Amino acid sequence: MNVMSKASVAGFIIGFICFPIIVFGGGYLYYNFFLDDFDSGRGLNPPELPVEESVNLDWVVKSLDGVEVNLRDYAQGKTLFLNFWATWCPPCVAEMPSIEKLYSQFGDSLAFVCVSQESAAMLKEFMKEKKYSVPVFYADTPSPQELSAAALPSTFIIASDGKILLKHVGAADWAHESVIAFFRDNAPRG
């Protein structure tokens, strides 16, 4: 009994060729057309504010130049905007323009930290290509338990006394007027 016919071999070869084209082509179209709306901030909802827990920020991350930075010292006296993200994560990339916009408005009064576990070289290239200036760091050690989240992106707004004012999992419009008003009116600043 002949298990492999010419038609089944041809079908296998055609499927082998078409499958990556369909999967990667669909991913390309999704990224370039669907996520294009997110690049301008359209399609993202603002985060829910506020939430209150506490965290010990005695955690060391590294700048893209390899300099160790203790978050407790970095954010001393300021509210901390802490975002966990990755360059390969479409929702992370989608919310980055709104984070950059928030940073341009509050970079002097808030401590901004965007943390990834990717290599410094990859992060530098991404930031240069996108022309973002928000501070990006990478982590070699696990974050404090209070800052753990099941998905990327995850963002925490932490008051100068260590209280977590917000924990948001998923992409958000960080330049939304409700977020701007929150930082202007309610967030403790240094």
Side-chain angles (χ1 to χ4, degrees), residues 11-179:
F12 176 78
I13 291 172
I14 291 171
F16 186 77
I17 292 170
C18 290
F19 177 76
I21 292 170
I22 292 169
V23 170
F24 292 112
Y28 175 80
L29 291 174
Y30 173 81
Y31 182 79
N32 284 304
F33 293 104
F34 179 74
L35 290 183
D36 187 44
D37 285 342
F38 286 119
D39 283 342
S40 62
R42 297 183 312 246
L44 294 178
N45 293 321
E48 294 180 28
L49 300 167
V51 170
E52 291 199 19
E53 295 177 50
S54 290
V55 63
N56 179 1
L57 286 177
D58 190 16
W59 180 44
V60 175
V61 294
K62 291 184 180 177
S63 73
L64 297 186
D65 296 326
V67 176
E68 290 189 347
V69 175
N70 185 302
L71 291 188
R72 181 190 59 224
D73 299 335
Y74 182 80
Q76 187 172 10
K78 292 185 176 182
T79 296
L80 174 65
F81 179 95
L82 177 61
N83 177 265
F84 292 93
W85 73 293
T87 62
W88 51 261
C89 165
C92 301
V93 174
E95 75 173 359
M96 193 57 84
S98 69
I99 294 173
E100 179 71 18
K101 188 173 181 182
L102 185 69
Y103 175 68
S104 72
Q105 288 187 273
F106 291 96
D108 293 334
S109 58
L110 301 174
F112 281 80
V113 176
C114 295
V115 178
S116 178
Q117 292 190 345
E118 296 171 281
S119 72
M122 182 178 292
L123 294 168
K124 277 183 189 179
E125 184 175 326
F126 176 86
M127 296 300 285
K128 182 179 177 184
E129 178 184 314
K130 298 290 187 178
K131 297 181 177 135
Y132 294 142
S133 58
V134 64
V136 171
F137 300 85
Y138 63 97
D140 288 338
T141 59
S143 65
Q145 176 127 11
E146 300 88 357
L147 300 178
S148 64
L152 293 177
S154 292
T155 304
F156 297 83
I157 308 298
I158 304 167
S160 59
D161 63 0
K163 283 188 180 171
I164 299 173
L165 303 174
L166 170 136
K167 175 182 179 180
H168 183 81
V169 178
D173 179 1
W174 294 103
H176 189 272
E177 60 191 44
S178 65
V179 178

